[in-house]
Amino acid sequence: MALPIMGEMSEGQRGSLIYIMETIIKLTEVNKIYRTEEIETQALENVNIDVQKGEFLSIMGPSGCGKSTLLNIMGLLDEPTSGTVELCGTKIDPTLSDNRLAEFRNKTLGFVFQSFHLISSLNVLDNVQLPLLYRGVGYNERMKRAKEVIERVGLSHRMKHTPVQLSGGQCQRVAIARAIIGNPEIILADEPTGNLDSKMGADILGLLKQLNEEDGRTIVMVTHNEQQAQQTKRIIKFLDGRQIM
Amino acid sequence: MKILLLYIKHALHMMREEKLFSGIYIAGTALAIAFTMVMAIVYYVKLAKIYPEVNRDKMVYIDNLCFMDKEGRVHSTCHFSDYAFEKWFAHAKNVEYVAPIYSKSDRISVGNGKRNIIGKNGKLIEVESQVTNHDFFNIFKFEFLKGRPITREDVEQHNPVAVITNDLAEQLFGKDVDPVGKMIGEEGDEYRICGVVKGASPLTPVSYAQVYVNYSYYYQNMVYDNESLSGNYIGGFSVIATVKDNAQYQALKQELDATAARWSQIMEGEPISLTHTMSNHAQHVVEIENELVPFHSFTDWDLVKPYVGLFFILLFVPAINLCGMVAGRMERRLSEMGVRKAFGAKRNTLLWQVVWENMVLTLTGGIIGLVLSWVALYVMRDTILTMFFDSDLLNDTTFVSGEVLFAPLLFLGALLAMLLLNLMAAVFPAWLSLRKPIVESMMEKR
């Protein structure tokens, strides 16, 4: 559906809209096939998804249904076999250079993974500032912003700790701080509560909701937890690589 | 700069975290560098311009007089007599300087290098001597602490003069006595000391001696009979000269070939060659090391192949092992690299990170290796030096000077070797790993 722009709206229309919807992620006819010498597996089949700016979308489905593959393709961590991906109005051309893709990931996307993927040799402060490091932000600015986001996720007292010295919930908070430090438009969370107990899981989900509601960040979350998915604004369900709802 | 510090911080953390890997990597690098440094020091001593052999790039050695058969093959060789030196070399046009020196083999087997002199307490002491002319002190740049070198006049007038080293001077006369003008030697073989030099090391055997005596005095009473020419040429000398450049080297060769042809006619039926064993300094060193008989024909590859093999073993074999270790470690770090790429790290940035991390390890190993090589040269000096130098000339005072141990060229060479190790061991496996897709990298077990 084509969205009306403000200038074309009637007085009544303007009054009835709270905000204008804008597609920030657009997947068109996306297929992903994994091939080995013996077998061919279709992980995604003709997937078409539009995610609007400011949405909190959850993708649900059983294990192996292709939801993580979808998230990886949205996050430019993997390439579709066919189909197109648009992020923030930019069509991701498969011929884009490694450097250009790295820059895009750095500025536009933030990731939260089920197993945290923190770097064990770095402390909390150094882990969190990674995206800014690769953006070429100066040391003082990096430190200032890292401290701000660490404080926001409630870990000011753990800045010098390394991941092995933290609990699972704390690790995921660090991962969220790392995801938001670069102010990305989109946060992609792959089973962010999958390795946590229910209390910690609820805590992390609360943090993600806060980021969505207060900062207006677009969040796409993969989960198989129905209860958590219900707390997001929209749910897409997957089965055997196909979108079923 | 800050990112560099972060790389180094990361590397140090990795060293603490992966003690076994880091330890083996550092030990491997240290041993390779230590061996390389010992070899480099040995060959630096043998080949580089070091005191007093600072003209090595211009030096020409003519070791043997070769007697040829009718087919142009060498059938026997011998060293030159002082007579032969006078007739064939002393007045050569295409040299800067030319001097007779006791040939290495005669110094050792015939004992020509040994000379008895009366010591302080009246006892005879045996010293290493060289019998030569004035040009010797132009070819070898000795530092004169007192007095002067042997002069052309000394040679022409057969003066009984000698130059001695400062160590011998101190041994004979003590510290406070000026030895110039004093006599040394034993009855019938006495010389007046005309100069005192800072001594050379036995590691530079061509210039090394404790006493340098005027050859024209030493041989003044020899009688040469023109009726038996061939016998007159055989003696204990080799010839050493300096030439300005390659053109003069070639001109000297032609000149000596012409001389040999002329004298071959005089010595009917016995053609001779003066240039069959003519060589520059590097060739001379390699010939001696490989015991290449002088008349054996050899190619440039024959000369260098032992060293290629040696450096291959010393540098590349450990490098290949380290390469395998780094590759294994990169596999273990794939997940981390994937995460870094997910947050915007470019492939080149990560490659540099790996290079810097390995640089820290290699530099640590390299510094330990350098220190190890110095310790080895100090503690195992006799074993190492005997392996590479003429053990007959070595003695308790043999030293490897600071000039050699801290030579900038050597240090630079060692650094380059380290860099080569680093590049070989780190970049290639890292580059291969970083080409893997991000998802694949992140899914690797950590």
Side-chain angles (χ1 to χ4, degrees):
Chain A
M1 179 186 80
L3 293 169
I5 55 172
M6 284 292 253
E8 294 169 340
M9 288 180 191
S10 66
E11 201 64 35
Q13 278 177 313
R14 282 181 198 164
S16 64
L17 280 172
I18 297 169
Y19 53 85
I20 297 171
M21 286 168 59
E22 178 189 335
T23 303
I24 197 164
I25 303 172
K26 186 175 180 66
L27 269 60
T28 311
E29 294 294 314
V30 166
N31 287 281
K32 179 71 183 178
I33 301 168
Y34 293 107
R35 292 190 177 94
T36 63
E37 282 179 8
E38 293 130 14
I39 197 166
E40 195 172 271
T41 310
Q42 177 121 26
L44 293 175
E45 193 179 333
N46 294 329
V47 176
N48 294 283
I49 294 176
D50 286 2
V51 181
Q52 308 305 318
K53 186 173 182 178
E55 251 196 300
F56 191 166
L57 169 72
S58 49
I59 300 171
M60 280 197 69
S63 290
C65 70
K67 53 189 189 300
S68 288
T69 303
L70 180 72
L71 202 77
N72 289 336
I73 287 172
M74 282 181 183
L76 310 183
L77 304 180
D78 203 355
E79 286 176 18
T81 308
S82 64
T84 57
V85 178
E86 281 179 52
L87 293 177
C88 302
T90 304
K91 187 175 172 185
I92 306 302
D93 189 327
T95 60
L96 275 181
S97 69
D98 176 67
N99 284 357
R100 183 78 186 86
L101 285 173
E103 202 178 314
F104 208 91
R105 279 192 293 270
N106 181 265
K107 291 185 175 165
T108 314
L109 301 163
F111 298 94
V112 181
F113 302 102
Q114 180 179 2
S115 50
F116 325 128
H117 279 301
L118 299 176
I119 296 171
S120 59
S121 58
L122 301 180
N123 63 27
V124 168
L125 207 52
D126 289 339
N127 261 297
V128 168
Q129 60 177 292
L130 265 191
L132 298 188
L133 180 74
Y134 295 126
R135 202 180 288 184
V137 175
Y139 177 78
N140 291 338
E141 177 66 13
R142 282 203 319 262
M143 293 303 279
K144 181 173 157 275
R145 283 167 67 178
K147 283 174 183 168
E148 278 171 12
V149 291
I150 291 170
E151 195 172 331
R152 186 165 181 195
V153 298
L155 287 176
S156 302
H157 58 303
R158 299 281 193 208
M159 284 193 204
K160 295 287 178 187
H161 288 63
T162 53
V164 289
Q165 297 168 310
L166 302 176
S167 69
Q170 286 171 330
C171 281
Q172 202 57 297
R173 282 170 179 271
V174 176
I176 290 172
R178 180 179 61 180
I180 62 174
I181 192 171
N183 240 348
E185 296 259 19
I186 303 162
I187 292 174
L188 302 173
D190 189 359
E191 305 263 18
T193 61
N195 276 357
L196 306 177
D197 61 37
S198 57
K199 186 178 176 304
M200 278 185 185
D203 202 24
I204 292 299
L205 188 66
L207 198 53
L208 290 173
K209 279 171 74 178
Q210 191 188 358
L211 291 171
N212 173 252
E213 285 161 10
E214 291 178 9
D215 298 8
R217 288 183 211 278
T218 307
I219 300 177
V220 179
M221 178 175 78
V222 163
T223 181
H224 55 257
N225 185 319
E226 180 80 44
Q227 195 187 354
Q228 285 182 355
Q230 291 300 336
Q231 296 181 53
T232 63
K233 292 174 181 168
R234 182 157 68 111
I235 301 172
I236 294 176
K237 288 193 173 168
F238 265 74
L239 185 66
D240 297 335
R242 285 190 299 270
Q243 185 181 342
I244 55 169
M245 198 181 106
Chain B
M1 191 63 196
K2 293 276 167 53
I3 198 162
L4 192 64
L5 285 175
L6 196 72
Y7 288 160
I8 292 170
K9 187 178 164 187
H10 195 270
L12 293 174
H13 187 279
M14 180 203 68
M15 280 167 72
R16 281 196 302 272
E17 205 174 52
E18 299 181 31
K19 289 191 183 76
L20 183 65
F21 169 83
S22 305
I24 293 173
Y25 191 103
I26 290 171
T29 307
L31 284 175
I33 291 293
F35 284 130
T36 308
M37 273 306 292
V38 168
M39 292 303 296
I41 288 171
V42 164
Y43 283 95
Y44 186 83
V45 171
K46 289 188 176 207
L47 295 170
K49 297 176 177 184
I50 57 170
Y51 179 86
E53 300 185 6
V54 294
N55 284 322
R56 280 177 168 176
D57 57 333
K58 295 156 69 177
M59 274 159 53
V60 177
Y61 296 77
I62 303 158
D63 280 336
N64 295 86
L65 164 62
C66 298
F67 293 94
M68 320 292 279
D69 63 18
K70 296 229 164 18
E71 279 74 43
R73 291 175 305 207
V74 176
H75 69 73
S76 60
T77 65
C78 62
H79 296 302
F80 303 102
S81 65
D82 62 305
Y83 179 81
F85 175 77
E86 279 296 322
K87 289 288 176 193
W88 295 336
F89 301 103
H91 309 289
K93 292 186 183 70
N94 293 295
V95 291
E96 284 185 321
Y97 304 107
V98 60
I101 52 169
Y102 274 147
S103 70
K104 179 177 163 267
S105 58
D106 277 24
R107 275 177 101 172
I108 294 161
S109 61
V110 184
N112 265 344
K114 305 292 181 192
R115 182 174 298 277
N116 288 326
I117 58 174
I118 299 169
K120 210 173 176 181
N121 50 8
K123 282 186 181 169
L124 282 182
I125 56 172
E126 190 179 65
V127 295
E128 197 66 42
S129 77
Q130 183 58 274
V131 176
T132 189
N133 69 357
H134 55 289
D135 270 357
F136 183 86
F137 296 96
N138 289 313
I139 294 169
F140 301 110
K141 296 292 183 189
F142 282 95
E143 183 187 341
F144 272 82
L145 304 173
K146 286 185 179 114
R148 60 164 179 83
I150 296 167
T151 62
R152 182 185 292 276
E153 290 70 36
D154 289 330
V155 172
E156 285 170 356
Q157 293 165 18
H158 308 286
N159 291 335
V161 290
V163 171
I164 65 170
T165 63
N166 54 337
D167 286 345
L168 182 63
E170 198 175 312
Q171 192 184 343
L172 294 175
F173 307 108
K175 270 187 181 172
D176 304 324
V177 180
D178 184 355
V180 175
K182 294 195 176 301
M183 300 302 285
I184 56 164
E186 56 182 335
E187 201 176 333
D189 186 27
E190 283 186 298
Y191 297 87
R192 192 177 65 254
I193 297 168
C194 64
V196 178
V197 291
K198 179 185 159 193
S201 164
L203 302 181
T204 52
V206 184
S207 57
Y208 171 70
Q210 292 165 283
V211 184
Y212 302 88
V213 304
N214 177 10
Y215 93 113
S216 75
Y217 172 77
Y218 189 72
Y219 286 103
Q220 67 176 329
N221 296 323
M222 290 289 282
V223 177
Y224 291 103
D225 175 8
N226 280 338
E227 298 300 314
S228 58
L229 274 172
S230 64
N232 293 343
Y233 309 115
I234 298 170
F237 285 115
S238 289
V239 176
I240 192 156
T242 54
V243 291
K244 276 187 289 193
D245 48 30
N246 190 48
Q248 195 175 38
Y249 180 89
Q250 297 304 332
L252 175 62
K253 194 168 186 300
Q254 283 180 7
E255 182 185 345
L256 294 177
D257 282 341
T259 303
R262 203 165 57 247
W263 283 83
S264 295
Q265 281 187 334
I266 296 169
M267 301 187 301
E268 287 168 15
E270 269 196 317
I272 60 165
S273 168
L274 302 177
T275 57
H276 217 83
T277 61
M278 185 170 161
S279 56
N280 61 31
H281 181 72
Q283 288 168 336
H284 185 73
V285 168
V286 176
E287 281 167 23
I288 289 173
E289 278 192 354
N290 294 288
E291 295 177 348
L292 295 167
V293 283
F295 41 87
H296 173 69
S297 65
F298 48 83
T299 63
D300 287 347
W301 172 240
D302 290 332
L303 291 177
V304 300
K305 68 182 174 191
Y307 306 99
V308 172
L310 190 64
F311 279 94
F312 179 82
I313 291 165
L314 288 180
L315 278 177
F316 290 92
V317 172
I320 288 165
N321 283 332
L322 294 179
C323 190
M325 284 177 63
V326 173
R329 186 168 148 266
M330 281 307 296
E331 287 295 314
R332 293 199 299 279
R333 290 184 69 195
L334 261 183
S335 170
E336 178 199 322
M337 292 299 159
V339 173
R340 287 179 184 272
K341 283 205 274 186
F343 286 96
K346 293 168 185 165
R347 211 179 285 158
N348 287 346
T349 312
L350 294 176
L351 198 60
W352 273 112
Q353 180 188 329
V354 175
V355 168
W356 272 104
E357 284 172 14
N358 284 278
M359 195 78 88
V360 170
L361 291 175
T362 310
L363 276 173
T364 310
I367 289 164
I368 293 171
L370 284 176
V371 174
L372 262 182
S373 67
W374 294 334
V375 171
L377 277 172
Y378 183 75
V379 177
M380 300 163 61
R381 186 187 60 183
D382 291 348
T383 313
I384 293 171
L385 296 182
T386 311
M387 276 164 69
F388 297 104
F389 292 93
D390 186 349
S391 55
D392 293 287
L393 286 179
L394 301 180
N395 55 41
D396 291 344
T397 61
T398 303
F399 60 94
V400 180
S401 67
E403 170 200 14
V404 171
L405 287 179
F406 297 98
L409 263 180
L410 266 191
F411 195 70
L412 194 68
L415 273 180
L416 282 176
M418 279 194 268
L419 192 66
L420 183 68
L421 272 172
N422 186 282
L423 287 177
M424 277 196 64
V427 172
F428 186 62
W431 180 78
L432 279 181
S433 297
L434 290 170
R435 289 186 68 80
K436 291 194 174 180
I438 297 176
V439 172
E440 205 178 304
S441 302
M442 289 179 65
M443 279 164 64
E444 287 289 323
K445 290 272 180 227
R446 307 179 79 187

